[in-house]
Amino acid sequence: MWVKGQGGTPQDIMAMLFGVNFVAALVPCIVSRFIEPLKRIFTPVITGSVIALIGISLIKVSIINWCGGEQAKAFGSMSNITLGR
């Protein structure tokens, strides 16, 4: 982490993490103010299509990981497939 690299103590690291989380918590609060106008743009057909396309694009990653991973010596072996199941 950046704070640790600068010689920060564990207390400094925790303070940085709490500060970042506080700022990150403000983002949904601000975005929630714009949800109603965006509902006119993002209809159920659009959001459903996007979610389906994301799921379809993840199929390749899922199958590769299920078969043992990219660097597996026994890629697609029955033990990997059984373990993934």
Side-chain angles (χ1 to χ4, degrees):
M1 293 181 76
W2 178 78
V3 176
K4 187 175 181 181
Q6 298 294 321
T9 65
Q11 289 82 11
D12 294 334
I13 295 170
M14 289 302 292
M16 189 264 315
L17 288 173
F18 283 126
V20 169
N21 282 329
F22 178 74
V23 172
L26 293 176
V27 172
C29 294
I30 294 168
V31 170
S32 69
R33 301 293 177 201
F34 302 104
I35 294 295
E36 274 309 312
L38 289 176
K39 282 185 180 178
R40 282 184 247 130
I41 299 170
F42 298 114
T43 64
V45 172
I46 293 173
T47 55
S49 300
V50 169
I51 291 171
L53 289 173
I54 290 170
I56 290 169
S57 69
L58 290 174
I59 289 173
K60 178 182 176 187
V61 175
S62 173
I63 290 174
I64 289 172
N65 288 337
W66 196 7
C67 290
E70 301 239 356
Q71 304 298 326
K73 291 182 181 173
F75 184 82
S77 69
M78 193 52 81
S79 62
N80 285 338
I81 294 174
T82 307
L83 182 63
R85 193 175 151 203

